[in-house]
């Protein structure tokens, strides 16, 4: 791993092409950032893969393209010479705009290719391939399927592949798809092409290197920014709803958060991350209502994946306009590296999906030598005698504090371990057959599962089982000479536009007002005439539902609440839960908590002590028993599966495991059995789990392969056994003696200026 290079030691600028140097000076840059300088010789050499890790807006894109463009300026010629792959069409558009100016000065042609690009532009590139191509994995997949025989010609001169936002692909089906595409592309051009990964700084960059070049991660040159010292202004505010039984979406806590956002964000450009798309709509509408009520222009706008492209781009344009303040209430759509100008403040409502996500979001603020500002908010309900036991621990607040503390300590979640990704292997197999018009089984295994492929863990026996199953289900057929061909179910699947995405794309209704599409909502959301809902940050009434073409007509109206839009939470890492326990057992109060948050944290600590959870992680809750092992979600779900397999009903309940209808004694007997026994066979455990088919092509897997995939993706048997042992060791039937509190381990308050 290369050591970071200080910006003050920049010494490789002279290696850049003179025209690139001139462009840099024209931008008014006085120096290169550390990773930008370090990347120049690494990329210009053209003989190694390079992983560049730095915070959002830290110059990763320029770190890659300054040396790439220098190389292309020296050796211009026909053919696509650099391929950039990004996760979002909006990011493709943004990077195209950012690189086009540099490339024009060097007479390097740039092209973008995704579903919104005109067909005439695509045809022009196919006739005369050249320069730099920016593309999404889905559009690259379409190239393989529809233009497979042209790939060798189009990419014959390829010198570099850039993967932007690499961390967003790690451990996902989409990531497996992309790595398979890059592996197949190298086979098509018959040589290895250097890969350049751009990523947010991760806890262990070597794991990201393994993802960038499977089986050869140790050969990847890792350049990680050493930039530190940015001032951070931070506060966590909590709001309490005194009526926890209300069905009103906009309770006192929501209104309190909206009031504070409105008072403190107006007049500047900001991002508000509300995690779920339904919450984005709720807060965007609340803030728009306040603008209307006070007679001021509305500066608050919703931004999420279900909105129409035009509406999202309108919001992005507002954020880039320095003359007009704007705040986007958003999900992960603005967590990526889209250029949205100078962001004054970032707000986070509720616990972030992960520490890594919070780091990415915070990186949006504090550009151009300004302090980074994070306003965190937590909504909770009043505690009384009827409050459920777990709610007394204020776990969302404690999780938010734990995540912020770990962020300040510069920790974040490592990438998920490697999975089989058999659903995506099916997609890639069908794509390979479509690319070549057929494929031999042995050759397909070599191309898709050989060393360097994301499917290299798939054995020949598993691949043979996959082929047999696909044949039995008429997805594939086999010619007399053994060539694999698309079958009766495979051919229409490949020919449908939804095939190109490795992930599920549910059928949706289009929401329309006055002929303009506002966005989409899942088809399983109940829609009917007269329904009031919130969408695009505004309130609407449904005036018509056209089932035949899945169109819903809307008209402005008061009232309404957001539709459910596939909102899901991320898996909580073990280290976050361990820090939550440390916080509840401690007595320190960090400077960034407001008075309400301090009061709630103290309430939670008193409840934790009263329940004797420091000594007894097994507690009765009515007729059930709760285990609080303070471990990660994956181990917790696995332990639940182990108990359910032994006929003890168990369910994950936030940070706890609920054993339904079990006494403490029965619960501890079950825990001890797991703790003292060997780790269960993950395949045997997977066979006892229902509803394992969750990925796009899982329904075409055999039961055995489905179990293999589920075990690799969802089960942590060793972690579950360790969890049971920890519970057994901490459990005692006698009251605990008083112990002194522990500190939270967060950085000293002098490192944080709270606002």
């Amino acid at each position: 791993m290369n050591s970071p290079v200080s910006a003050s030691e920049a010494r490789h600028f002279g290696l850049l092409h003179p025209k690139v140097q001139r462009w840099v000076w024209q931008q008014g840059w006085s120096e290169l950032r550390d990773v930008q300088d370090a990347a120049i010789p690494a990329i210009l050499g053209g003989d190694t893969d390079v992983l560049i890790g730095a915070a959002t807006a830290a110059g990763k894109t320029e770190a890659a393209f300054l040396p790439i463009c220098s190389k292309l300026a020296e050796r211009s010629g026909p053919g696509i010479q650099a391929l950039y792959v990004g996760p979002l069409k909006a990011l493709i558009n943004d990077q195209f705009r950012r690189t086009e100016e540099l490339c024009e000065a060097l007479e390097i042609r740039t092209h973008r290719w995704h579903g919104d690009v005109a067909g005439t532009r695509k045809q022009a590139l196919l006739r005369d391939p050249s320069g730099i191509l920016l593309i999404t994995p889905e559009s690259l997949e379409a190239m393989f399927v529809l233009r497979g025989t042209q790939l060798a010609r189009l990419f014959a001169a390829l010198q570099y592949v850039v993967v932007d936002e690499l961390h967003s692909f790690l451990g996902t089906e989409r990531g497996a798809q992309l790595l398979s595409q890059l592996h197949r592309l190298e086979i098509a051009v018959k040589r290895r092409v250097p890969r350049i990964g751009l990523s947010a700084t991760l806890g262990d960059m070597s794991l990201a290197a393994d993802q960038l070049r499977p089986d050869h991660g140790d050969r990847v040159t890792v350049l990680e920014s050493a930039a530190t010292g940015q001032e951070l202004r931070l506060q966590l505010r909590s709001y309490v709803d005194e009526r926890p039984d209300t069905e009103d979406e906009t309770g006192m806590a929501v209104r309190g958060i909206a009031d504070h956002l409105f008072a403190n964000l107006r007049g500047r450009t900001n991002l508000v991350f509300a995690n779920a798309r339904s919450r984005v709509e709720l807060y965007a509408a609340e803030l728009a209502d306040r603008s209307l009520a006070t007679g001021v222009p509305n500066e608050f706008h919703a931004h999420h994946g279900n909105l129409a492209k035009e509406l999202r781009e309108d919001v992005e344009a507002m954020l880039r306009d320095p003359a007009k303040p704007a705040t986007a209430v958003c999900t992960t759509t603005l967590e990526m590296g889209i250029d949205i100008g100078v962001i004054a403040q970032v707000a986070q409502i509720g616990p972030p999906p992960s520490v890594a996500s919070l780091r990415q979001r915070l990186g949006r603020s504090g550009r151009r030598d300004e302090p980074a500002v994070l306003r965190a908010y937590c909504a909770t309900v009043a505690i009384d005698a009827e409050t459920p036991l777990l709610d007394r621990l204020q776990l969302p607040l404690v999780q938010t504090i734990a995540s912020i503390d770990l962020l300040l300590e510069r920790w974040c979640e490592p990438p998920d371990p490697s999975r089989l990704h058999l659903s995506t292997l099916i997609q890639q197999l069908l794509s390979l057959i479509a690319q070549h018009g057929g494929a031999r089984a042995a050759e397909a295994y070599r191309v898709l599962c050989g060393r360097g492929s994301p499917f290299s863990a798939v054995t020949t026996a598993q691949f043979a089982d996959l082929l047999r199953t696909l044949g039995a289900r008429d997805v594939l057929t086999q010619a007399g000479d053994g060539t694999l061909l698309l079958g009766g179910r495979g051919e229409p699947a490949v020919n449908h536009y939804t095939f190109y995405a490795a992930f599920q794309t549910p059928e949706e209704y289009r929401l329309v007002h006055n002929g303009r599409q506002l966005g989409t909502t899942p088809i399983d959301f109940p829609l009917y005439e007269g329904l009031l809902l919130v969408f695009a940050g505004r309130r609407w009434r449904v005036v018509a539902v056209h089932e035949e073409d899945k169109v819903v007509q809307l008209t402005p109206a008061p009232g309404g609440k957001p539709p459910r839009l596939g909102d899901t939470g991320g898996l909580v890492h073990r280290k976050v839960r361990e820090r939550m326990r440390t916080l509840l057992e401690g007595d320190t109060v960090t400077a960034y908590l407001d008075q309400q948050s301090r009061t709630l944290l103290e309430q939670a600590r008193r409840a934790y002590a009263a329940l004797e959870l420091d000594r007894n992680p097994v507690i009765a809750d009515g007729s059930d028993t709760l285990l609080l092992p303070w471990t990660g979600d994956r181990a917790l779900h696995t332990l639940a599966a182990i108990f359910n397999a032994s006929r003890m009903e168990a369910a994950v309940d936030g940070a706890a495991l609920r054993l339904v209808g079990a006494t403490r004694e029965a619960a501890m007997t079950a825990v001890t059995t797991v703790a003292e026994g060997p780790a269960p066979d993950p395949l045997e455990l997977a066979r006892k789990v229902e509803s394992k088919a969750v990925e796009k092509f899982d329904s075409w897997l055999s039961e055995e392969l489905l179990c293999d995939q589920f075990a690799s993706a969802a089960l942590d048997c060793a972690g579950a056994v360790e969890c049971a042992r920890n519970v057994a060791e901490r459990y005692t039937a006698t009251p605990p003696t008083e112990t002194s509190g522990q500190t939270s381990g967060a950085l000293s308050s002098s490192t944080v200026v709270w606002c």
Side-chain angles (χ1 to χ4, degrees), residues 94-214:
D94 180 67
Q95 298 293 35
F96 177 80
R97 178 178 55 81
R98 294 173 64 183
T99 58
E100 192 174 28
E101 181 184 353
L102 169 61
C103 291
E104 282 182 354
L106 302 172
E107 299 181 352
I108 299 172
R109 294 171 62 188
T110 56
H111 316 269
R112 52 182 165 172
W113 187 304
H114 54 63
D116 298 331
V117 175
T120 54
R121 291 185 176 272
K122 295 177 180 178
Q123 289 300 321
L125 174 65
L126 293 174
R127 288 192 302 269
D128 183 19
S130 62
I132 301 172
L133 173 62
L134 297 90
I135 197 168
T136 61
E138 290 70 36
S139 291
L140 187 56
E141 193 68 63
M143 274 193 168
F144 276 98
V145 172
L146 302 176
R147 299 175 176 86
T149 58
Q150 301 180 51
L151 288 180
R153 176 184 65 86
L154 293 172
F155 294 101
L158 189 64
Q159 298 184 52
Y160 296 102
V161 171
V162 179
V163 180
D164 203 355
E165 305 288 357
L166 177 64
H167 52 279
S168 70
F169 290 108
L170 300 182
T172 68
E173 298 301 317
R174 205 170 180 220
Q177 174 191 22
L178 173 58
L179 291 174
S180 178
Q181 290 170 340
L182 299 184
H183 184 65
R184 291 167 59 193
L185 188 58
E186 291 185 336
I187 291 175
V189 300
K190 297 182 173 60
R191 57 188 170 82
R192 178 185 164 279
V193 180
R195 300 176 187 175
I196 302 169
L198 309 180
S199 175
T201 301
L202 301 170
D204 186 348
M205 294 296 286
S206 65
L207 297 176
D210 290 336
Q211 294 279 324
L212 180 64
R213 181 66 72 172

Side-chain angles (χ1 to χ4, degrees), residues 286-596:
E286 284 289 311
L287 291 163
D289 289 347
R290 281 156 178 75
S291 300
L292 180 62
T294 55
V296 298
N298 180 38
E299 300 175 4
F300 301 92
H301 312 279
H303 190 288
H304 57 75
N306 281 85
L307 289 172
K309 174 179 71 75
E310 292 79 8
L311 294 182
R312 295 196 306 270
E313 290 180 346
D314 286 346
V315 176
E316 293 158 18
M318 293 177 196
L319 294 173
R320 284 194 294 267
D321 186 352
K324 295 181 181 179
T327 293
V329 187
C330 55
T331 57
T332 55
T333 50
L334 289 179
E335 189 177 296
M336 300 293 184
I338 302 171
D339 184 9
I340 49 177
V342 179
I343 300 300
Q345 303 177 77
V346 168
Q348 170 66 49
I349 302 176
S354 65
V355 179
S357 179
L358 182 61
R359 172 183 290 188
Q360 187 80 352
R361 294 172 178 187
L362 181 58
R364 285 301 200 173
S365 176
R367 304 188 188 189
R368 300 183 184 176
D369 300 323
E370 291 188 1
V373 178
L374 174 62
R375 296 185 180 274
Y377 297 88
C378 185
T380 187
V381 296
I383 306 299
D384 56 30
E386 303 299 320
T387 300
L389 186 151
L390 287 177
D391 289 349
R392 299 176 206 170
L393 298 177
Q394 301 289 354
L395 295 180
L397 171 65
V398 177
Q399 183 180 336
T400 302
I401 298 172
S403 298
I404 293 174
D405 282 356
L406 290 169
L407 172 80
L408 296 176
E409 295 172 12
R410 304 189 182 282
W411 177 89
C412 66
E413 296 84 355
D416 286 339
S418 178
R419 305 179 182 184
L420 287 180
H421 299 291
L422 295 178
S423 170
T424 304
L425 176 57
I426 291 176
Q427 183 214 38
Q428 291 299 290
L429 175 60
L430 299 183
S431 173
L432 181 72
I433 293 172
Q435 176 188 355
H436 298 287
R440 297 274 187 168
E443 181 65 10
Y445 181 79
R446 183 189 70 81
V447 170
L448 297 176
C449 304
R451 192 173 186 196
S453 160
F455 311 114
S456 58
V458 175
T459 66
T460 54
Q462 289 172 323
F463 193 73
D465 186 359
L466 181 66
L467 294 182
R468 284 193 296 269
T469 304
L470 294 177
R473 299 183 179 181
D474 197 25
V475 178
L476 295 181
T477 187
Q478 197 166 27
D481 63 354
T483 301
L484 299 174
L485 303 171
L486 297 177
R489 298 177 67 185
E491 187 164 359
V494 171
N495 290 334
H496 197 270
Y497 71 93
T498 58
F499 173 78
Y500 307 131
F503 50 86
Q504 291 276 23
T505 51
E507 192 173 4
E508 296 177 319
Y509 287 96
R510 291 184 293 124
L511 304 181
V512 176
H513 169 59
N514 284 346
R516 184 187 186 191
Q517 181 170 326
L518 304 176
T520 61
T521 188
I523 206 166
D524 57 357
F525 180 74
L527 292 165
Y528 52 87
E529 187 174 337
L531 174 69
L532 297 175
L533 57 82
V534 173
F535 196 80
R538 297 178 59 187
R539 303 182 187 278
W540 309 92
R541 179 171 60 85
V542 174
V543 295
V545 179
H546 303 285
E547 291 289 349
E548 63 279 3
D549 52 5
K550 302 297 183 264
V551 171
V552 178
Q553 291 182 331
L554 304 177
T555 189
K561 59 183 182 180
R564 297 185 300 273
L565 296 171
D567 301 328
T568 58
L571 294 178
V572 179
H573 193 274
R574 172 179 177 174
K575 194 171 182 71
V576 175
R577 290 266 167 74
E578 289 174 344
R579 179 57 57 87
M580 291 171 65
R581 176 190 170 192
T582 301
L583 282 165
L584 288 168
E585 293 182 357
D587 55 12
T588 60
V589 179
T590 50
Y592 60 78
L593 301 184
D594 77 334
Q595 187 55 53
Q596 184 69 274

Side-chain angles (χ1 to χ4, degrees), residues 13-59:
F13 180 72
L15 299 177
L16 295 174
H17 190 278
K19 289 185 178 180
V20 175
Q21 295 182 37
R22 186 179 306 117
W23 182 87
V24 170
W25 290 122
Q26 289 171 346
Q27 306 312 302
W29 298 359
S30 59
E31 62 180 4
L32 295 181
R33 297 183 178 180
D34 54 356
V35 292
Q36 292 172 342
D37 182 67
I40 293 171
I43 295 175
L44 282 177
D47 56 358
T48 183
D49 301 313
V50 180
L51 174 60
I52 300 173
T56 304

